[in-house]
Amino acid sequence: MTQKSLHEFGMIKRLLAPLTLGVPGAFELKDDVAQLPHSAYGQVVTCDQIIEGTHFFPDDPLDLVAKHLVRRNLSDLIAKGCRPRGALLTLAWPKAWSLPRLALFIKGLGEDLAELGDHCPLYGGDTSQTSGPLVASLTLIGEPLAASHAPILRSGAKPGDHVYVTGVIGDAYLGLEGRLGKQSVNDLKACQGFALAPLPTPLAMSAPIAHYAHASIDISDGLLADAAHLATNSRVRIELALDCIPLSSEASQWVEKSDNRVDALLNLATGGEDYQALMCVSAEQSEDFINQAQRNGTRLSKVGQCWPGQGLTISYLGQVIRLPKKMGWSVSF
Amino acid sequence: MTQKSLHEFGMIKRLLAPLTLGVPGAFELKDDVAQLPHSAYGQVVTCDQIIEGTHFFPDDPLDLVAKHLVRRNLSDLIAKGCRPRGALLTLAWPKAWSLPRLALFIKGLGEDLAELGDHCPLYGGDTSQTSGPLVASLTLIGEPLAASHAPILRSGAKPGDHVYVTGVIGDAYLGLEGRLGKQSVNDLKACQGFALAPLPTPLAMSAPIAHYAHASIDISDGLLADAAHLATNSRVRIELALDCIPLSSEASQWVEKSDNRVDALLNLATGGEDYQALMCVSAEQSEDFINQAQRNGTRLSKVGQCWPGQGLTISYLGQVIRLPKKMGWSVSF
């Protein structure tokens, strides 16, 4: 490695050190390990990566790329009823890239972590150069908020449970299609923002999910694919009503103008990267769940119900319709 | 993503699931988060990555590449007086690579984790495809064994401390030089193995390090660079004796045959990736430390001493000599 690049890694440390928020366990990023804060119960971990050319385009703004990385991980923790407690970052950084690009990436990372108040200091990580595209991986550590002190899993849904989703679905799909020049969307700019760095479920949803959800998942593979994951793992049948899927005004208009509204809705429901939570809550507790979520200002929509049986079924205006061949993506484990 | 690659990711899960050792918190790799075992004190984390073209050659055997990844992380935990408790893996996997290559990588990973008994189950991770070279990142979670319940840091060494190193130094350097065709080494084959997957400090060293070391670091950047890190962070001067650096018989013979023995030793002491521990222990406790380490069968050599002052100085046969310009590498934070 040249002196220039050694200098560069010194710079990374200097840029990243403020993100530790001064927590003692990060040792100012000057040591080889970090010590997490003590927790009375087993902590929860998740890690997801973001790869240039796979998850984002080479000319995407790097602050939004970093936010996308934070949000795809944060979304996992929130959907599991957990509060973040810290982060670890690994960067495989392209040799030819300039320091301002790096500073922009770290700016985006810092802005998103700052949104979490003092909940998510950076504890450490690793940076190396690569001759290939950027690969960034984030590990988030979280604290389960449920009385059981466990995360809310894909399993646990019961027949009779109502199925809810936070926020809106499909803007990431439309943004990506617009980006690829495949669709003309009314306000493409807004959707493109979602495609680059979709806003996840608000952090405040961790608590109602932890307190009320029997099962929960974040929608990263696609609404249908993730609902199928819940159904399979919980051994119930989930029926989703396509016409109840919450949409942004841009997505609503796009569906209205489509030749085939069902196909349009299916595209939105299988596009993935919505980073909303899909949750199963008993009929009895639904009112309390909705009230607690809405006190935090979260939009919540009932999109389906759990039944005895297995797998996913979908309906449109009360009529059962066939599942599409492709229900979404599946890459994490 | 095509059906073929979806199948591939199903395969990854099946190959990786046995590495969870059935611990409940891994949820059989079927959920989006994992729950670590509860710990009475703050757990320690470290993460390091390995990048094709940066840390290994494209034609290196992938089982050894995976072992290198495990060992560079394990080495950090052991040098900090910690015992591993679990692992998380992220893989950016080249699109064109075949399943047997993947199986070989996971075989190597599994063999090294199995060496740790039931100490290091795989808790989860993320796998995606990349158009670029392989990037693999491992996060290890560990338990500090020190009475303070904290990791042994780079800081903490005191004037008068003896400086010890485990194992031998420089085989990774010779293996790499041999691989690059730059050096002819007597038994190049043995050294090449070290270059690909250097054997780290034995796990059993965690306890004596935790109990006796004032400061400790794993030698990844290079013996001189890492000794300088200890000196800087501990605000002491460390003097190392080049002639006391422990060498394998292959490395000894190579030094004997070199035109300039000091230059040869300096090369071995700045090559990096030895993954041995460099530790500072008080003169009073040195005997107990050595006894405990040797009961575990670990080779331990005294290579220097801490003095009032700052920075690193080196000697050869009792004469102080000038530090080389390049003391090693520096890429982690």
Side-chain angles (χ1 to χ4, degrees):
Chain A
M1 184 170 301
T2 64
Q3 285 306 311
K4 178 186 162 289
S5 59
L6 281 175
H7 168 74
E8 197 168 301
F9 286 109
M11 181 70 81
I12 293 180
K13 264 195 176 177
R14 278 197 293 282
L15 289 170
L16 289 172
L19 306 190
T20 66
L21 310 178
V23 288
F27 306 123
E28 302 173 48
L29 303 183
K30 286 181 180 166
D31 221 290
D32 305 297
V33 296
Q35 187 163 29
L36 300 174
H38 173 245
S39 162
Y41 304 96
Q43 286 180 320
V44 162
V45 284
T46 185
C47 64
D48 271 307
Q49 59 194 336
I50 193 159
I51 303 171
E52 182 190 350
T54 301
H55 301 101
F56 67 96
F57 293 99
D59 59 343
D60 282 347
L62 285 169
D63 52 342
L64 293 184
V65 169
K67 284 173 197 270
H68 193 167
L69 177 65
V70 174
R71 293 169 187 187
R72 66 188 292 143
N73 279 284
L74 193 57
S75 152
D76 274 322
L77 279 190
I78 295 167
K80 299 290 154 180
C82 301
R83 187 171 50 195
R85 298 229 31 202
L88 294 162
L89 174 73
T90 55
L91 271 182
W93 190 255
K95 277 177 189 156
W97 285 17
S98 65
L99 271 179
R101 298 194 77 167
L102 184 60
L104 186 62
F105 182 91
I106 295 175
K107 174 174 167 277
L109 184 79
E111 283 173 358
D112 253 28
L113 293 181
E115 287 281 324
L116 304 171
D118 57 0
H119 282 306
C120 203
L122 181 71
Y123 276 88
D126 182 40
T127 305
S128 289
Q129 290 194 324
T130 176
S131 58
L134 173 67
V135 181
S137 167
L138 195 74
T139 300
L140 285 187
I141 296 100
E143 187 87 17
L145 300 180
S148 64
H149 307 295
I152 307 302
L153 299 179
R154 295 177 176 200
S155 55
K158 293 177 179 59
D161 281 358
H162 294 187
V163 181
Y164 295 92
V165 70
T166 58
V168 294
I169 296 297
D171 279 8
Y173 168 81
L174 287 180
L176 180 60
E177 290 283 294
R179 192 69 206 282
L180 294 169
K182 288 186 186 170
Q183 304 278 356
S184 76
V185 181
N186 199 30
D187 187 355
L188 192 60
K189 213 174 153 192
C191 289
Q192 275 193 351
F194 272 95
L196 288 172
L199 275 177
T201 309
L203 182 58
M205 269 307 289
S206 311
I209 291 172
H211 296 147
Y212 296 108
H214 286 156
S216 174
I217 193 170
D218 79 310
I219 302 169
S220 49
D221 294 345
L223 174 62
L224 299 195
D226 288 311
H229 294 324
L230 282 185
T232 303
N233 285 276
S234 294
R235 298 170 191 226
V236 295
R237 179 171 69 83
I238 290 181
E239 183 165 317
L240 288 189
L242 286 188
D243 45 296
C244 293
I245 297 173
L247 304 177
S248 68
S249 57
E250 292 82 7
S252 288
Q253 288 175 33
W254 177 79
V255 171
E256 291 291 317
K257 287 179 186 165
S258 300
D259 294 338
N260 184 324
R261 288 188 189 179
V262 170
D263 283 351
L265 285 168
L266 286 174
N267 282 329
L268 299 180
T270 56
E273 303 213 323
D274 298 296
Y275 301 128
Q276 297 303 315
L278 185 68
M279 306 142 293
C280 303
V281 177
S282 73
E284 298 73 36
Q285 293 199 294
S286 281
E287 197 181 326
D288 291 344
F289 172 63
I290 293 168
N291 285 340
Q292 194 177 338
Q294 290 181 341
R295 267 201 302 277
N296 297 323
T298 307
R299 177 172 175 177
L300 212 56
S301 309
K302 185 180 174 222
V303 289
Q305 190 154 343
C306 298
W307 300 91
Q310 56 185 340
L312 177 69
T313 50
I314 53 176
S315 67
Y316 181 69
L317 301 176
Q319 300 291 315
V320 172
I321 59 170
R322 277 178 72 169
L323 285 174
K325 270 191 184 168
K326 175 181 170 296
M327 303 236 280
W329 309 89
S330 180
V331 291
S332 293
F333 68 86
Chain B
M1 186 171 303
T2 65
Q3 284 305 310
K4 180 188 161 288
S5 58
L6 280 175
H7 168 74
E8 197 167 300
F9 286 109
M11 182 70 79
I12 293 180
K13 263 194 177 180
R14 277 196 296 280
L15 289 170
L16 289 171
L19 307 190
T20 66
L21 310 178
V23 288
F27 307 123
E28 303 174 46
L29 303 183
K30 286 181 181 165
D31 221 290
D32 306 296
V33 295
Q35 188 163 29
L36 300 174
H38 174 243
S39 164
Y41 304 96
Q43 286 180 319
V44 162
V45 284
T46 185
C47 63
D48 271 308
Q49 60 192 336
I50 195 160
I51 303 171
E52 183 189 351
T54 301
H55 301 100
F56 67 96
F57 294 99
D59 59 344
D60 281 347
L62 285 170
D63 51 343
L64 294 185
V65 169
K67 284 173 197 269
H68 192 167
L69 176 66
V70 173
R71 292 168 187 188
R72 66 187 292 141
N73 279 282
L74 194 56
S75 153
D76 274 322
L77 279 191
I78 294 168
K80 299 291 154 181
C82 302
R83 187 171 50 197
R85 298 226 38 198
L88 294 162
L89 173 73
T90 55
L91 272 182
W93 190 257
K95 276 179 189 154
W97 286 18
S98 66
L99 272 178
R101 298 195 79 166
L102 183 61
L104 185 61
F105 182 91
I106 295 175
K107 175 174 166 277
L109 183 80
E111 282 173 359
D112 253 28
L113 293 181
E115 288 281 322
L116 303 172
D118 57 359
H119 283 306
C120 202
L122 181 72
Y123 276 87
D126 182 40
T127 303
S128 288
Q129 292 195 321
T130 176
S131 58
L134 172 67
V135 180
S137 167
L138 195 74
T139 300
L140 285 187
I141 297 101
E143 187 87 18
L145 300 179
S148 64
H149 308 296
I152 308 302
L153 299 179
R154 296 177 175 199
S155 55
K158 293 178 178 58
D161 282 358
H162 294 187
V163 181
Y164 295 92
V165 71
T166 58
V168 294
I169 296 295
D171 279 9
Y173 168 81
L174 287 180
L176 180 61
E177 290 284 293
R179 192 71 205 281
L180 294 169
K182 289 188 187 169
Q183 305 277 353
S184 76
V185 181
N186 200 29
D187 187 356
L188 191 60
K189 214 174 152 192
C191 289
Q192 275 193 351
F194 273 95
L196 288 172
L199 276 176
T201 310
L203 182 58
M205 270 305 290
S206 312
I209 291 171
H211 296 148
Y212 297 107
H214 286 157
S216 175
I217 191 169
D218 78 312
I219 302 168
S220 51
D221 294 345
L223 174 62
L224 298 196
D226 288 313
H229 292 326
L230 282 185
T232 304
N233 284 276
S234 293
R235 299 173 189 221
V236 293
R237 179 171 69 84
I238 289 181
E239 183 165 317
L240 289 188
L242 285 187
D243 45 297
C244 293
I245 297 173
L247 303 177
S248 68
S249 56
E250 293 81 7
S252 289
Q253 288 174 34
W254 177 79
V255 171
E256 289 292 318
K257 288 179 187 166
S258 299
D259 294 338
N260 183 325
R261 289 188 189 179
V262 170
D263 283 352
L265 285 168
L266 286 174
N267 281 330
L268 300 180
T270 55
E273 303 213 325
D274 299 296
Y275 301 129
Q276 297 303 316
L278 185 69
M279 306 143 294
C280 303
V281 177
S282 73
E284 297 73 36
Q285 294 199 294
S286 281
E287 197 181 326
D288 292 344
F289 172 64
I290 292 168
N291 286 340
Q292 193 177 339
Q294 289 180 342
R295 267 201 302 279
N296 298 323
T298 307
R299 178 172 175 177
L300 213 57
S301 309
K302 184 179 173 221
V303 290
Q305 190 153 342
C306 298
W307 300 91
Q310 57 185 342
L312 176 70
T313 51
I314 53 175
S315 67
Y316 180 69
L317 301 175
Q319 299 291 315
V320 172
I321 59 171
R322 276 179 74 168
L323 284 174
K325 269 192 184 168
K326 174 180 170 295
M327 304 235 282
W329 309 88
S330 181
V331 291
S332 292
F333 68 86

